Amino acid sequence: MADGIPLNPMRKNSKRLPYYYSAGLPRFSVEDDSSILDEMPLMMSEEAFENEESDYQTLPRARLAQRRRGLGWLLLGAWKLLCGSCCDCLLRLCRRRKELKARTVWLGCPEKCEEKYSKNIIKNQKYNILTFVPGVLYQQFKFFLNLYFLVVACSQFVPSLKIGYLYTYWAPLGFVLAVTMVREAVDEVRRCRRDTDMNSQLYSKLTVRGKIQVKSSDIQVGDLIIVEKNQRIPADMVFLRTSEKTGACFIRTDQLDGETDWKLKVAVGCTQRLPAVGDLFSIKAFVFAQKPQLDIHSFEGNFTREDSDPQIQESLSIENTLWASTVVASGTVIGVVIYTGKETRSVLNTSSAKNKVGLLDLELNRLTKALFLAQVVLSIVMVALQGFVGPWFRNLFRFVVLFSYIIPISLRVNLDMGKSAYGWMIMKDESIPGTVVRTSTIPEELGRLVYLLTDKTGTLTQNEMVFKRLHLGTVSYGADTMDEIQSHIVRSYGQVSAQVTHQASSSTTGGTTPSGKSQTAGPRVRKSVSSRIHEAVKAIALCHNVTPVYESHGNGETESAEADQDFTDDNRTYQASSPDEVALVRWTESVGLTLVNRDLTSLQLKTPSGQILSFHILQIFPFTSESKRMGIIVREESTGEITFYMKGADVAMASIVQYNDWLEEECGNMAREGLRTLVVAKKSLSEEQYQDFESRYSQAKLSLHDRALKVAAVVESLEREMELLCLTGVEDQLQADVRPTLELLRNAGIKIWMLTGDKLETATCIAKSSHLVSRSQDIHVFRSVSNRGEAHLELNAFRRKHDCALVISGDSLEVCLRYYEHEFVELACQCPAVVCCRCSPTQKAQIVTLLQQHTANRTCAIGDGGNDVSMIQAADCGIGIEGKEGKQASLAADFSITQFRHVGRLLMVHGRNSYKRSAALGQFVMHRGMIISTMQAVFSSVFYFASVPLYQGFLMVGYATIFTMFPVFSLVLDQDVKPEMALLYPELYKDLTKGRSLSFKTFLIWVLISIYQGGILMYGALLLFESEFVHVVAISFTALILTELLMVALTVRTWHWLMVVAELFSLACYLASLAFLSEYFDRSYITTWPFLWKVSAITLVSCLPLYIIKYLKRKFSPPSYSKLSS
């Protein structure tokens, strides 16, 4: 696989070899021992070993900079560096940003704020009235093509340089600028209206004198704002009160984090307990909030009430916050504003996506520069042949203007219109319904992709979780044996019910469980399977963050269930931030134990017999990506027992649960089946144990420094020797047609990398089940490495593997990229597939950037969640899927699809057509300019190198527009193979990535065609004209128009009826214009036979040889696609 990469294998006498392959010893015990590393060098990085560890990341760039520096760098680069530094200094001075600080906010007293905070204004506009015109003009003229046309057009104001009529230069340029400015103005007006609507929304503000209405833009830090149900939250607030009896409410956050699940928010206890809303002004209280940050999932602050004795202090966390741009889903809420405008989480997280430029546009830009060089050289040759007589410098500039049509201004217009046409075709394709093109400037990129980087959950899989397996250590239950679990649950709760009835207990104590009796006997007597199932199901039904929500049939409003509500199954839905948790709760419902009610402090379950079990929630420890587990402490109301339940990933739970000999093996077995595993455990607590824990936990939550670490330390004190209850397996089903789509992409030569936050085993399993890794391929699992020595050894081991897929974790990837970036990427790029697991969103974007830098190939990223946005925006082409996780990825992407299987057609058919069509269109438009410039050169050389234009006025405008525009633009309808063939033979896609449709070779062929045809047309007209010079113009221009129409026909591979219409329409327009262009044509002459046969003869000589060459090439060296189309 990597024979070409000079990574030396370890020497046979390496002393470290036994340590590396020994299971019992660490792979590399002496970190960064350079004497040992020298025995097993990675050749590409030997130089790096001599440097300090802090220099590893900067080495490649530093060496590159050293190589580049010299006289050339001084002349070309130093001035850029100097100007750039000066500009940066000026910008920093002009736009000095205020430092963000922590703040103390008094309730309802904005005037008490220590400093002035930013206004609560939403502003998405790019320009204002003063900067609009300069801004748009700068964006247009910073590109070489447009700047070139501007300079040429401005030169016509100089009398000595004037070649023709002003409108022949300014009309096309003015048209392009007008279209651009109108488009920008429309977008700007839309943005302005949206901003005005948002800033003008009215909210109720609480004051000492009562409620008043204020605009969103007038809200200040410290204001008390009332937000009604289904109303947008206008600024970042701390949640003080709600109309809900539970003291909590749901909010929708899909516009902030892309997640469609509702989030539960909790009001500050001190203010929620106040008798009336007006009492908020009768207390003296303030909120201390940390400085504004990017992280939307964390918040640290304190609420302090000073006028009570003793002083009341409550810690504030993310569950007490209401971020701007979220929507209240239940009840009415009151909050105190802590951040406004630019300091809100939503604005801080809004990054302007980079302006993506397609590879085809860059290639055309290079060709344009080559044409400009040719134009200057041709002008110099003309002046040289004149003998540099007279004002030769002025003549040189006149020739540059004369030959300016070598670079046609219509190139940009045609390509932009073509891109819009491709986008329209993609969105109208019935085979991929729901597809949206959000970035219309890069459809050709879909036909040039080499790397496809995809998310797993929700992209390759459906993000629909189905409970598949329950393992208790000695017995395992699958989908076909769930009825046994149900019968055990019915039996165990039936026995409890019978005991309760016999003892004539009150109905509220109907939830006494066998588990309570067996807890004392647990260590001595082996529990029965029935009691173990009972405890496991009960733990799964209690340990979660799921809330049941009931739809009220009367008014259609959704509200959280109250204790006295009728808990019918018909109108119950579950809300949670994780679909895994919903799947678990639905499963407990299916086996007989149903979650019917939940609020902040209590939770109720319904048994198979219909009895209600009530639990008091004492503490909840939510799931985080760092802890990889969540826990809950509950007190059963009937018995008073306190139990700590916890569930989490096996890597996190293995060290927490009591010793067992089956957990690791069964986790591996489930992961190989493609199941997402969760370990469930419990621990019984005495009242004294819990009170001690609560006091330490409350104290840790109030600390202002290192709060998260202190809280985690207190919780970890509980997480010891927990009783292992069960292992659950949940399946995330594959999307429809994932396997054939991945096979199609692989056959097309696209290398697929799967980047996921999931664990290694599950990611590997999905890679196999989805056929991302074919059955014949080996998988190399990159061992976990933590330092340079381990990474060195593991890379050497990986180097010896051939044609195998790579699986690597995010932590190991980070270590490899730190020390061996170039070597690792070069090795990984030779793998047929790569799976990166435990990847953070930042790492995903970093991998995309690495591939772009090291391979110079085009990358495509595809995902469905908010965590994929950075990857999608970093890639050359971003595809978003509208999925269960919301629309954030879809809105941030260049192309939005509804299912992963649509990627195949999007790339194979639309990507192919867009690239092929744009390549043909771009080159033909350039040919159209080069042929008329060749004719001008011939004309000037014949007439003593005079800088006199051959065609003037309307002829030049008409040539680029009405006479040839429609047939040339109709090339956007051309296709070389049918869509069915492109999908049937994906191997055809490989040719596109080589860029053969638009290269210097194809460009040179078009240059030669232009020179040949231009020469024939001009020399033919000069040879055949008789008495008057006006006949030369008539003969040559008519032959030129006919030649262009015939060349379009020669270029077309598959005819469309609109192409025929365009050809006939353009010909009719030209013939009709002959009657009106009397100043250019002699009407009496153009209706004679000599004119007709001369035009026909010249046109035939210019086109016939090309038709013959095309026929011979098709016959003896046909392209790959022609074999299929025939």
Side-chain angles (χ1 to χ4, degrees), residues 205-223:
K205 172 181 167 182
L206 274 179
T207 65
V208 180
R209 294 181 297 276
K211 292 183 189 178
I212 60 168
Q213 293 288 309
V214 292
K215 289 182 179 179
S216 173
S217 56
D218 295 331
I219 290 172
Q220 297 174 282
V221 171
D223 282 345

Side-chain angles (χ1 to χ4, degrees), residues 29 47 81 137 196 202 221 242 255 284 299 417 513 583 627 649 654 708 770 796 910 916 1008 1048 1064:
S29 54
E47 189 180 334
L81 189 66
L137 291 178
T196 304
L202 293 176
V221 171
T242 176
Q255 295 301 313
K284 190 178 180 182
F299 174 75
M417 288 168 61
T513 63
S627 68
S770 65
N796 269 322
H910 293 289
K916 286 269 190 180
L1008 294 174
V1048 171
L1064 296 175

Side-chain angles (χ1 to χ4, degrees), residues 410-425 444 913-914 916-918 920-922 924-925 928 959-975 1044-1045 1047-1049 1051-1052 1056 1058-1063 1066:
S410 56
L411 177 62
R412 182 83 271 140
V413 179
N414 277 281
L415 285 174
D416 286 349
M417 288 168 61
K419 293 172 193 286
S420 299
Y422 308 144
W424 183 83
M425 291 174 195
E444 301 91 358
N913 288 342
S914 298
K916 286 269 190 180
R917 289 164 176 172
S918 281
L921 181 63
F924 200 95
V925 172
R928 193 171 64 181
Y959 172 69
T961 55
I962 195 166
F963 297 153
T964 59
M965 182 179 72
F966 297 110
V968 171
F969 186 69
S970 70
L971 289 172
V972 301
L973 300 169
D974 192 20
Q975 61 180 27
E1044 286 299 292
L1045 297 180
M1047 283 301 293
V1048 171
T1051 308
V1052 169
H1056 189 281
L1058 281 173
M1059 292 177 172
V1060 180
V1061 170
E1063 291 265 341
S1066 293

Side-chain angles (χ1 to χ4, degrees), residues 325-518:
S325 297
T326 58
V327 177
V328 177
S330 65
T332 300
V333 303
I334 301 172
V336 60
V337 176
I338 52 170
Y339 309 124
T340 52
K342 296 176 184 176
E343 296 175 346
T344 60
R345 291 292 203 270
S346 60
V347 174
L348 288 173
N349 278 279
T350 304
S351 57
S352 53
K354 68 174 185 178
N355 190 20
K356 296 185 181 181
V357 180
L359 183 59
L360 183 120
D361 291 317
L362 297 175
E363 290 167 346
L364 283 171
N365 200 43
R366 285 197 292 270
L367 295 180
T368 303
K369 291 174 182 176
L371 283 174
F372 176 70
L373 192 64
Q375 177 187 353
V376 173
V377 169
L378 183 59
S379 302
I380 293 171
V381 168
M382 284 292 183
V383 174
L385 290 172
Q386 276 184 332
F388 292 101
V389 293
W392 65 268
F393 194 81
R394 188 193 67 188
N395 291 340
L396 174 65
F397 206 95
R398 281 178 65 88
F399 275 119
V400 169
V401 176
L402 264 181
F403 299 138
S404 63
Y405 282 95
I406 284 182
I407 307 172
I409 193 169
S410 56
L411 177 62
R412 182 83 271 140
V413 179
N414 277 281
L415 285 174
D416 286 349
M417 288 168 61
K419 293 172 193 286
S420 299
Y422 308 144
W424 183 83
M425 291 174 195
I426 291 171
M427 290 192 283
K428 290 296 179 184
D429 190 346
E430 294 180 358
S431 301
I432 47 173
T435 303
V436 179
V437 178
R438 300 194 191 279
T439 306
S440 60
T441 55
I442 56 167
E444 301 91 358
E445 291 296 277
L446 294 169
R448 309 290 298 277
L449 302 175
V450 177
Y451 290 96
L452 180 75
L453 299 102
T454 175
D455 179 39
K456 179 182 75 70
T457 308
T459 303
L460 297 179
T461 60
Q462 295 181 20
N463 204 13
E464 280 187 9
M465 309 301 173
V466 180
F467 191 94
K468 287 288 185 181
R469 183 150 305 182
L470 180 73
H471 204 292
L472 300 173
T474 55
V475 60
S476 175
Y477 294 94
D480 52 346
T481 52
M482 292 298 176
D483 53 341
E484 291 183 32
I485 295 177
Q486 190 172 2
S487 62
H488 279 298
I489 294 296
V490 170
R491 195 179 311 123
S492 63
Y493 278 109
Q495 291 170 359
V496 171
S497 179
Q499 289 172 7
V500 170
T501 305
H502 180 71
Q503 294 166 3
S505 299
S506 65
S507 60
T508 56
T509 59
T512 307
T513 63
S515 61
K517 295 186 176 184
S518 64

